[in-house]
Amino acid sequence: EHLMDCVIPAHDKDFQTLHLTLTSIRRCCPEVRRIFVVVADPTSAEEQVMPHVVQQCEGSGEPSPLCEITFLAEGDRSIWPFDICDIKQTYSNNRSQADVVGHAAEGSDGAGGSFGWILQQLLKLYSPLVRSICSPFDKI
């Protein structure tokens, strides 16, 4: 029985291995009904990742799709009430400019540094409140 949905924030740099995550969830977690992948550009992500998911499922003899995979835009204000710009603004309002620059530079990987990490955590925490993501049996 499908009892839950799964939300995965991802960055472009994750696309090379994201198909492994998606197929593993499909294979090892039969209780997952839907997988939502939250990315900057859903169309590009789907075009890059889904052929690998389908190929891997076909290669293993598994039916495809075992569960629904949907790509959502992390900047879509109809879904999320915040984006990375809000995080940067909030942080800069509460810190000196030197702290903001220094903090963002720590571990900066082109993904927005720590601001990207904070956004990913907020997306995961907020996702149960999004009606289009919540399972019909989830209570809000």
Side-chain angles (χ1 to χ4, degrees):
E1 182 178 348
H2 296 112
L3 301 176
M4 70 178 90
D5 295 337
C6 181
V7 177
I8 304 172
H11 184 268
D12 296 354
K13 67 181 172 102
D14 301 322
F15 292 173
Q16 289 182 345
T17 57
L18 184 57
H19 70 281
L20 298 172
T21 301
L22 296 173
T23 54
S24 292
I25 290 170
R26 293 168 71 170
R27 183 179 304 116
C28 300
C29 303
E31 61 277 358
V32 172
R33 180 179 64 153
R34 299 180 298 183
I35 300 172
F36 295 93
V37 182
V38 185
V39 294
D41 182 353
T43 303
S44 174
E46 187 170 2
E47 289 171 355
Q48 292 179 56
V49 174
M50 287 309 292
H52 297 288
V53 172
V54 171
Q55 180 182 12
Q56 193 162 354
C57 288
E58 289 174 352
S60 67
E62 295 178 17
S64 180
L66 294 178
C67 64
E68 180 183 334
I69 299 173
T70 303
F71 289 80
L72 301 173
E74 66 186 31
D76 185 342
R77 288 295 187 149
S78 70
I79 301 173
W80 316 104
F82 52 81
D83 63 17
I84 199 161
C85 295
D86 296 324
I87 295 165
K88 290 177 182 179
Q89 181 64 40
T90 299
Y91 192 85
S92 65
N93 288 343
N94 294 309
R95 301 278 187 154
S96 72
Q97 190 61 30
D99 287 342
V100 173
V101 173
H103 189 65
E106 292 174 14
S108 182
D109 54 9
S114 58
F115 296 128
W117 181 85
I118 293 168
L119 175 63
Q120 288 189 342
Q121 305 319 302
L122 287 173
L123 292 168
K124 289 184 278 189
L125 288 169
Y126 191 80
S127 62
L129 302 176
V130 177
R131 292 268 181 218
S132 61
I133 293 178
C134 292
S135 298
F137 34 78
D138 289 341
K139 294 183 181 174
I140 298 178

